Amino acid sequence: MEKIRCLVSAGPTREYFDPVRFISNPSSGKMGVEIAKAARGFGWETTLILGPTSLEKPEGIEVFDVVSADDMLNRALALFGECDILIMTAAVSDMRPKKKSKAKVKKESLNMAVEFEPTPDILRELSKIRKNQILVGFAAETNDVKSYARGKLASKNLDAIAANDVSKSGSGFAADLNEISLIFKDGREIDLGKDSKSRLAKKLIEILAAEFFPQAGKK
Ligand code: PMT
């Protein structure tokens, strides 16, 4: 069998409301970069779409830098047709300011309410045009973690989702540790527990490989 082609998204997006101010979230990109490295280590041809982070680019992986949810969507649309599996770890900003000022907004005007609109839902858009691609999402939640994750698995029409408990300090956003359970479309769950992002990424890729590409093996 040909090499499995894996597309990974990582990091936050930034939604600017003037040239120097934006809304975003604390995602560091670590989880996604570790997944990209694990996928490559498994022998998969791996491409990474990376939001703004201070991480070093992983070796041997083609990296596309993006800033906003729109950029991430456009890049994902361009690359999606050439992948067998998409793993979206990116913490895409759900909202963006409706208007972006070309000039820096003066401090005196900053107390004016900024109006927001939803960003495009990248996974949902891709799930509409998928052919045989496997879609794997992540859901960072602080409560009812698995129940919310199951909701996203269904509403975004995914094959699997990593329910990510980010309620405890020291794991989740911008930490070296994470705590995830993988939930499949048919309801099966695999608890990966709390571990380093690097070890979790390796376990996750091994499980996804066995589940979705059993004939391909490790290259
Ligand atoms: O980057 P780190 O610091 O290492 O942190 C890792 C992480 C906590 C960000 C990561 O493990 C994680 O959980 N990522 C998902 C973040 C999240 O809360 O996603 P969500 O629940 O908003 O979205 C669910 C899924 O839909 C995700 O796969 C997301 O990429 C995708 N999505 C979300 C919004 C949107 N507009 N388009 C999307 O495709």
Side-chain angles (χ1 to χ4, degrees), residues 1 4 9 14 16 18 25 39 48 67-68 82 85-87 89 108 144 154 164 171 178 182 188 193 201 207-208:
M1 192 174 173
I4 302 300
S9 75
R14 282 182 188 171
Y16 280 85
D18 80 9
N25 60 67
L48 177 63
V67 177
S68 66
E82 299 298 309
I85 179 167
L86 166 71
I87 308 175
T89 74
E108 303 73 55
D144 302 318
N164 196 162
S171 76
N178 213 356
L182 190 64
R188 276 172 303 136
I207 294 169
L208 294 174

Side-chain angles (χ1 to χ4, degrees), residues 5-7 79-86 132-135:
R5 298 159 305 170
C6 177
L7 179 60
L79 296 169
F80 187 60
E82 299 298 309
C83 84
D84 302 303
I85 179 167
L86 166 71
N132 299 315
Q133 293 94 337
I134 301 296
L135 294 185

Side-chain angles (χ1 to χ4, degrees), residues 52-107:
T53 77
S54 53
L55 295 180
E56 276 185 27
K57 302 272 182 323
E59 260 176 54
I61 294 170
E62 190 169 17
V63 181
F64 292 91
D65 291 308
V66 295
V67 177
S68 66
D70 263 354
D71 296 341
M72 192 171 274
L73 172 64
N74 289 333
R75 185 54 76 183
L77 283 170
L79 296 169
F80 187 60
E82 299 298 309
C83 84
D84 302 303
I85 179 167
L86 166 71
I87 308 175
M88 281 283 297
T89 74
V92 184
S93 184
D94 288 314
M95 306 295 280
R96 65 183 169 205
K98 256 188 169 169
K99 287 190 196 136
K100 183 181 166 191
S101 165
K102 285 209 174 93
K104 184 179 171 187
V105 178
K106 287 283 145 219
K107 203 160 53 179

Side-chain angles (χ1 to χ4, degrees), residues 27-29 31 88-90 120 122-123 138 152 156 164 174 197:
S27 167
S28 62
M31 188 71 242
M88 281 283 297
T89 74
I122 299 169
L123 272 176
F138 264 69
K152 287 175 181 175
K156 293 174 191 252
N164 196 162
K197 286 179 177 172

